Amino acid sequence: QVQLVESGGGLVQAGGSLRLSCAASRSIDSAYFMAWYRQAPGKQRELVALITRAGNTNYGDSVKGRFTISRDNAKNTVYLQMNSLKSEDQAVYYCNSNYGGLNSWGQGTQVTVSS
């Protein structure tokens, strides 16, 4: 599988910002899409943001207007800029890649939001 390594998680106060990074072992400009998911304890994993090969983006309803997915193809890295963080954003965030016949997940990075 493609190796995906997330970083940037940590503790942040409600209303604050955090940027997550996902470094891929394969050229991300050849991926059908790159995405961020999150999963809180006891809840299903949900889509946070997705970016296609063409650069089109999609966001989960709960993060629209607050989160932004972007990429740096030269660095094979996808980012998730998270602003105006809320308590309900607390979760483990996972990077996901799809190369058609190859779907991979990162190990996850914890985002903790304090009040």
Side-chain angles (χ1 to χ4, degrees), residues 81-111:
Q81 179 66 46
M82 304 184 292
N83 298 325
S84 302
L85 283 160
K86 305 174 180 179
S87 296
E88 51 263 45
D89 295 320
Q90 181 167 305
V92 177
Y93 284 71
Y94 297 91
C95 185
N96 171 250
S97 67
N98 185 281
Y99 291 82
L102 185 60
N103 188 63
S104 301
W105 294 90
Q107 83 287 349
T109 185
Q110 175 72 47
V111 173

Side-chain angles (χ1 to χ4, degrees), residues 1-111:
Q1 302 284 4
V2 176
Q3 184 181 35
L4 303 172
V5 180
E6 301 100 331
S7 62
L11 175 65
V12 63
Q13 291 186 343
S17 298
L18 205 61
R19 188 176 78 159
L20 306 183
S21 299
C22 171
S25 63
R26 184 170 173 173
S27 298
I28 63 171
D29 58 1
S30 65
Y32 287 98
F33 67 81
M34 302 290 293
W36 287 96
Y37 286 75
R38 69 186 182 188
Q39 188 167 27
K43 292 189 175 183
Q44 295 183 347
R45 188 170 298 187
E46 65 174 346
L47 176 68
V48 177
L50 181 149
I51 185 166
T52 71
R53 183 191 299 166
N56 303 121
T57 58
N58 294 296
Y59 296 93
D61 288 341
S62 63
V63 307
K64 288 180 180 177
R66 300 188 298 120
F67 290 10
T68 303
I69 187 170
S70 62
R71 66 189 180 196
D72 186 335
N73 290 341
K75 296 181 178 179
N76 287 335
T77 300
V78 178
Y79 303 96
L80 183 68
Q81 179 66 46
M82 304 184 292
N83 298 325
S84 302
L85 283 160
K86 305 174 180 179
S87 296
E88 51 263 45
D89 295 320
Q90 181 167 305
V92 177
Y93 284 71
Y94 297 91
C95 185
N96 171 250
S97 67
N98 185 281
Y99 291 82
L102 185 60
N103 188 63
S104 301
W105 294 90
Q107 83 287 349
T109 185
Q110 175 72 47
V111 173

